[in-house]
Every structure is written in C-alpha cells, then in structure tokens.
C-alpha cells in the first residue's frame, strides 16, 4: 500500500471530523473515495507531507 492509499484509508475509516476538515480544507461530512482522490490530486506535496506527519501515518520505507 502506498502512502496515498494509506491516506485514503485513514480519511475513509479512521479520521475524526477535525482531521477530515483539515484534509479537505472545509467541513465535508458527505464525501466519497473519488472526492478524496480528487483532493489528493490537487494537494501540493508539502501539504500532503505535513498531513501524513500530523495524522501519524507510518512512513517506514515510504519516500516523502
């Protein structure tokens, strides 16, 4: 599983409302996997890397 898939899994299954708001940049309570993919495709790398660290996603062997 690559880091983007881990982020997607986290947002779909483990994130709380505050983390979801951080990820989308606004309160989004009705979202789909496609919404997450769309947001990831537009997210700058440095913002993504910061969210990975803040959400505590494992980065062993993953290049950020």
């Amino acid at each position: 599983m690559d880091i983007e898939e881990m982020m997607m899994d986290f947002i779909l299954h483990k994130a709380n409302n505050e983390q979801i708001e951080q990820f989308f940049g606004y309160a989004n309570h009705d979202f789909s996997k496609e919404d997450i993919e769309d947001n990831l495709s537009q997210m700058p790398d440095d913002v993504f890397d910061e969210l990975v660290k803040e959400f505590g996603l494992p980065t062993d062997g993953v290049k950020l």
Side-chain angles (χ1 to χ4, degrees):
M1 182 181 289
D2 71 16
I3 192 70
E4 286 188 354
E5 290 171 332
M6 284 190 262
M7 177 67 79
M8 201 173 320
D9 182 63
F10 178 81
I11 297 298
L12 283 170
H13 305 290
K14 300 172 187 160
N16 62 36
N17 287 339
E18 183 180 317
Q19 292 166 322
I20 291 168
E21 187 172 335
Q22 264 185 293
F23 178 78
F24 284 106
Y26 57 91
N28 188 349
H29 302 290
D30 186 31
F31 59 89
S32 67
K33 183 178 176 183
E34 290 76 25
D35 295 327
I36 297 170
E37 290 171 342
D38 185 50
N39 199 50
L40 284 172
S41 71
Q42 298 176 47
M43 187 178 289
D45 289 343
D46 59 330
V47 173
F48 179 80
D49 293 348
E50 188 61 35
L51 288 176
V52 166
K53 290 176 189 172
E54 191 161 324
F55 295 164
L57 298 177
T59 57
D60 295 348
V62 175
K63 184 179 179 185
L64 294 180

